[in-house]
């Protein structure tokens, strides 16, 4: 309730009377002050608690996400290091075998034994093969492949024969239908003559040392690993069915294939938000990505925050009881102030506030503040009434103020003349110079009208370039003279950057032949329309308004002007 009353005073000071009325209207709700204070205190307590709870959750969530990303990046780097070591060791094994075979390349038994030894000794390869320079298989292991004497025309074989250097092939379908990669090493004799190569194959969709190396999940928490080659083909994935699939549009894959190492949050191909760490290999154009679903990352935190919430409930209950007791103590002296706050816009409110007995400092100060606020509110109401009757661009009266003025003149039976004024070709000004310059023209015209008219004349802007001047107690001749003086003054005034402008004026007056004020205004508009139609930059007086003693003067002026 304290903040409610203070808000009323603040809005009253700022002139926001509509909002003050809305706030005052809310007091009509059938709630006593004790309940309002209790509601406010509990709301503040709950909001503060929820804000702290939410802030704590967000901070821990951010820290957990950041730490998870760092862990995955570190784990990806660790797997890259282990895979690089494995590939390097495999190449070293092949290089050693190539030296042995270079000496005894024509010995079929030696070729067969070395192929068998290479496959079984370290379990690095799913199969091994010795191929001559023409691509014919000389030996292989295991023997169940039955490739001896066959010409290998697989992509890996062609790459090895063409490059004649140590290499890791791109994935391809082997002669027996396996998706494989080949690690090969060329065989040269002592004279440097190319004899062929020895290669070891890794079956990507079958169990092997590469699978054993990558299948170690460090937390069993939904994390998984995949390996991608430069063609965006999956070399390893927990879902064996996806091995060999090409993946496009994944920002992590694009980054790791550019040789970048880092972390990123992304949405994978199954539309799951993932936290990923990635790193590229040095020994091959591969990248390793480790990632974990975001929901799985935050699941432990959600459980933790629920436990915190349960543990704080007893303290929260005790706090609510304390607030309830305190609200009862505070509500009594504030009740009178709350009742008085319903009628802040009532002139008698000040006297009512002075009669309120505020027995403690805060309520006393609040009563003084309300007294100040009531005074300011009354002033602001007056200011709002003025603003409601004023055109904001020119500072002249507006149509609402014009209607009030006309009602007052007709009620007092005061005769008056109406000048309906319109700027000639004002649209051209806006089109050529812009609306900002158009506003300057309107303001300049308003200044000229006020300067030419009398102090007690009424000047209003009723539309875009339309103005109305009410001249009390003036006859047709004098009104016409004033209108002509105004028209000439406007045409002689230079308004930068437009230059000079012209106006047309229609004139009528009241009372006239029992016509209503609305009809008089309509006659002035019709006279203005006639001035526009007959060439603009002129004053036309309504024929019914021409008095007999002025007709000769006005008629001669019209003829001369035409």
């Amino acid at each position: 309730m304290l903040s409610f009353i203070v808000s009323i005073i603040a809005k009253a000071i700022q002139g926001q009377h509509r909002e003050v009325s809305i706030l005052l209207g809310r007091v009509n709700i059938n709630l006593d002050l004790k309940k309002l204070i209790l509601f406010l205190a509990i709301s503040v307590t709950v909001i503060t608690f929820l804000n702290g709870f939410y802030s704590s959750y967000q901070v821990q969530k951010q820290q957990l996400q950041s730490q998870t990303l760092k862990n995955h990046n570190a784990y990806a780097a660790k797997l890259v290091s282990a895979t690089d070591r494995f590939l390097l060791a495999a190449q070293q094994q092949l290089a050693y075998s190539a030296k042995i075979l270079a000496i005894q390349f024509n010995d079929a038994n030696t070729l067969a034994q070395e192929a068998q030894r290479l496959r079984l000794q370290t379990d690095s390869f799913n199969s091994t093969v010795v191929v001559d320079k023409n691509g014919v298989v000389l030996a292989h292991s295991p023997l169940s492949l039955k490739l001896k004497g066959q010409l290998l025309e697989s992509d890996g074989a062609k790459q090895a024969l063409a490059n004649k250097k140590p290499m890791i092939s791109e994935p391809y379908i082997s002669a027996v239908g396996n998706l494989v990669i080949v690690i090969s090493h060329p065989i040269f004799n002592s004279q440097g003559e190319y004899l062929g190569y020895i290669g070891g194959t890794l079956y990507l969709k079958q169990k092997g040392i590469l699978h054993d190396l990558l299948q170690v999940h460090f937390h069993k928490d939904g994390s998984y690993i995949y390996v991608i080659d430069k063609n965006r083909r999956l070399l390893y994935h927990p879902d064996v069915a996806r091995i060999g699939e090409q993946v496009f549009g994944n920002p992590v894959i694009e980054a790791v294939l550019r040789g970048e190492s880092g972390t990123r949050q992304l949405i994978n191909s199954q539309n799951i938000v993932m936290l990923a760490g990635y790193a590229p290999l040095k020994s091959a154009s591969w990248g390793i990505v480790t990632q974990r679903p975001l929901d799985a990352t935050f699941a432990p935190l959600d459980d933790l925050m629920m436990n915190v919430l349960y543990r704080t409930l007893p303290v929260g209950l005790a706090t609510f009881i304390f607030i309830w007791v305190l609200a009862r103590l505070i509500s009594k002296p504030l009740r009178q102030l709350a009742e008085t706050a319903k009628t802040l816009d009532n002139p008698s409110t000040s006297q009512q506030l002075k009669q309120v007995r505020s027995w403690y400092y805060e309520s006393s100060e609040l009563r003084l503040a309300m007294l100040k606020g009531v005074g300011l509110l009354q002033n602001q109401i007056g200011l709002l009434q003025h603003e409601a009757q004023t055109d904001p661009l020119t500072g002249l009266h507006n149509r609402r103020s014009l209607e009030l003025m006309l009602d007052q003149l007709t009620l007092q039976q005061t005769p008056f003349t109406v000048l309906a004024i319109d700027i000639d070709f004002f649209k051209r000004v806006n089109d050529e110079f812009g609306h900002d310059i158009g506003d300057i023209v309107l303001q300049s015209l308003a200044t000229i009208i006020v300067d030419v008219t009398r102090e007690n004349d009424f000047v209003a802007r009723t539309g875009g370039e339309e103005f109305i001047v009410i001249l009390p107690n003036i006859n047709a001749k004098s009104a016409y003279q004033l209108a002509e003086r105004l028209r000439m003054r406007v045409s002689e005034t230079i308004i930068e950057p437009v230059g000079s402008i012209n106006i047309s004026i229609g004139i009528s007056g009241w009372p006239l032949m029992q016509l209503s004020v609305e009809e008089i205004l309509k006659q002035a508009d019709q006279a203005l329309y006639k001035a526009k139609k007959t060439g603009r930059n002129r004053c036309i007086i309504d024929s019914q308004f021409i008095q007999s003693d002025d007709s000769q003067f006005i008629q001669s002026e019209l003829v001369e002007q035409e």
Side-chain angles (χ1 to χ4, degrees), residues 461-500:
R461 178 183 174 217
T462 57
E465 68 270 26
E466 300 170 1
F467 295 80
I468 292 290
V469 178
I470 304 298
L471 307 173
N473 297 311
I474 189 171
N475 59 26
K477 176 180 178 180
S478 299
Y480 183 83
Q481 290 174 335
L482 187 147
E484 276 293 296
R485 188 164 64 252
L486 172 61
R487 182 183 66 82
M488 294 297 297
R489 174 75 173 273
V490 170
S491 64
E492 294 169 355
T493 301
I494 302 299
I495 304 173
E496 296 296 340
V498 177
S500 62

Side-chain angles (χ1 to χ4, degrees), residues 131-133 160-162 164 186-189 192-197:
V131 181
D132 68 11
K133 63 181 180 181
L161 291 172
K164 297 182 177 61
I187 302 173
F188 294 95
N189 61 19
E193 180 183 359
Y194 179 67
L195 303 178
Y197 69 88

Side-chain angles (χ1 to χ4, degrees), residues 304-325:
L304 174 63
M305 297 308 291
M306 288 304 298
N307 288 331
V308 172
L309 181 62
Y310 292 146
R311 292 179 181 273
T312 55
L313 285 178
V315 177
L317 180 60
T319 303
F320 291 157
I321 294 174
F322 173 76
I323 292 173
W324 180 75
V325 173

Side-chain angles (χ1 to χ4, degrees), residues 391-455:
D391 173 47
L393 177 64
T394 61
L396 300 178
H397 295 283
N398 58 16
R399 184 174 293 277
R400 176 183 177 85
S401 182
L402 172 65
E403 293 173 355
L404 295 175
M405 179 65 177
L406 293 174
D407 290 344
Q408 182 179 354
L409 290 174
T410 53
L411 182 64
Q412 297 173 354
Q413 293 296 305
T414 302
F416 59 86
T417 299
V418 179
L419 304 185
I421 304 169
D422 190 271
I423 302 175
D424 296 335
F425 302 112
F426 183 68
K427 185 176 183 301
R428 296 180 183 176
V429 175
N430 282 332
D431 292 343
E432 183 175 353
F433 299 97
H435 290 278
D436 291 342
I437 299 300
D439 290 346
I440 294 175
V441 170
L442 293 172
Q443 292 169 339
S444 300
L445 176 58
T447 301
I448 296 172
I449 296 174
V450 171
D451 187 49
V452 172
T453 54
R454 302 170 301 174
E455 183 176 353

Side-chain angles (χ1 to χ4, degrees), residues 228-234 244-249 253-254 257:
I228 198 82
D229 74 354
K230 65 180 181 180
N231 294 318
R232 296 165 181 79
R233 191 185 304 275
L234 292 171
E245 175 186 331
Q246 285 185 292
V247 182
F248 296 95
I253 291 177
E254 299 302 323
L257 292 182

Side-chain angles (χ1 to χ4, degrees), residues 175-187:
V176 293
N178 291 317
L179 179 63
V180 301
I181 57 173
V182 173
I183 305 174
S184 63
H185 196 284
I187 302 173

Side-chain angles (χ1 to χ4, degrees), residues 283-341:
S283 56
S285 299
W286 300 354
I288 294 181
V289 180
T290 70
Q291 58 186 25
R292 183 186 186 190
L294 185 65
D295 290 342
T297 302
F298 292 151
L301 177 60
D302 294 339
D303 294 339
L304 174 63
M305 297 308 291
M306 288 304 298
N307 288 331
V308 172
L309 181 62
Y310 292 146
R311 292 179 181 273
T312 55
L313 285 178
V315 177
L317 180 60
T319 303
F320 291 157
I321 294 174
F322 173 76
I323 292 173
W324 180 75
V325 173
L326 190 61
R328 288 176 59 88
L329 296 175
I330 297 175
S331 62
K332 186 176 181 179
L334 293 179
R335 184 181 298 275
Q336 290 178 295
L337 293 178
E339 292 297 327
T340 307

Side-chain angles (χ1 to χ4, degrees), residues 37-290:
I37 296 175
L38 186 62
F39 172 75
L40 174 63
I42 292 177
S43 298
V44 171
T45 303
V46 170
I47 291 172
T48 302
F49 170 75
L50 292 178
N51 181 61
F53 186 82
Y54 177 76
S55 300
S56 175
Y57 176 78
Q58 290 297 322
V59 169
Q60 294 187 58
K61 179 179 177 181
Q62 184 177 4
Q63 291 178 343
L64 182 59
Q65 180 174 339
S66 176
Q67 189 60 46
T68 299
L69 288 170
K70 289 180 181 178
N71 290 342
H72 278 273
N73 180 242
Y75 192 64
K78 178 180 177 181
L79 289 177
V80 163
S81 177
T83 306
D84 274 330
R85 287 198 301 270
F86 161 71
L87 294 176
L88 178 60
Q91 288 176 326
Q92 288 174 344
Q93 293 176 49
L94 292 172
Y96 180 77
S97 294
K99 289 181 180 180
I100 295 174
L101 297 178
I103 301 173
Q104 304 180 58
F105 195 72
N106 296 323
D107 187 344
N109 290 331
T110 301
L111 297 180
Q113 291 174 4
E114 188 61 25
Q116 187 78 351
R117 181 196 67 78
L118 185 62
R119 183 178 72 87
L120 298 177
Q121 185 175 10
T122 61
D123 201 24
S124 297
F125 307 104
N126 294 95
S127 64
T128 55
V129 65
V130 180
V131 181
D132 68 11
K133 63 181 180 181
N134 297 315
V136 177
V137 177
L138 301 179
H140 60 81
S141 178
L143 297 177
S144 59
L145 296 177
K146 298 180 181 180
L147 295 174
K148 186 175 180 179
Q150 293 187 20
L151 178 64
L152 288 184
E153 294 183 334
S154 63
D155 293 340
K158 291 178 180 179
Q159 292 174 30
L161 291 172
N163 292 333
K164 297 182 177 61
K165 61 181 181 180
M167 60 164 288
I168 301 174
S169 74
E170 296 179 9
Y172 68 93
I173 302 298
S174 69
V176 293
N178 291 317
L179 179 63
V180 301
I181 57 173
V182 173
I183 305 174
S184 63
H185 196 284
I187 302 173
F188 294 95
N189 61 19
S190 57
Q191 287 78 34
E193 180 183 359
Y194 179 67
L195 303 178
Y197 69 88
I198 181 170
T201 59
L202 300 177
Y203 296 170
L204 298 180
K205 291 191 175 183
Q206 295 182 18
K207 183 175 177 59
I209 191 169
L210 184 60
H211 276 241
D212 294 340
L213 181 66
L214 297 175
Q215 279 183 339
V216 179
H217 289 258
F218 55 112
H219 284 307
K220 303 291 185 182
D221 54 3
S223 301
Y224 67 90
I225 301 155
Y226 63 87
V227 181
I228 198 82
D229 74 354
K230 65 180 181 180
N231 294 318
R232 296 165 181 79
R233 191 185 304 275
L234 292 171
L235 303 182
Y236 170 79
H237 194 279
D239 183 0
V240 178
R242 295 194 63 188
I243 295 177
E245 175 186 331
Q246 285 185 292
V247 182
F248 296 95
N250 187 312
V252 168
I253 291 177
E254 299 302 323
V256 77
L257 292 182
R258 289 195 300 267
E260 299 175 10
S261 175
T263 60
R264 184 171 299 193
Q265 179 176 314
L266 76 155
I267 300 177
N268 68 4
S269 56
Q270 280 73 44
N271 290 323
I272 300 174
V273 181
M274 309 294 292
L275 300 177
Y278 52 91
L281 269 72
K282 297 178 181 178
S283 56
S285 299
W286 300 354
I288 294 181
V289 180
T290 70

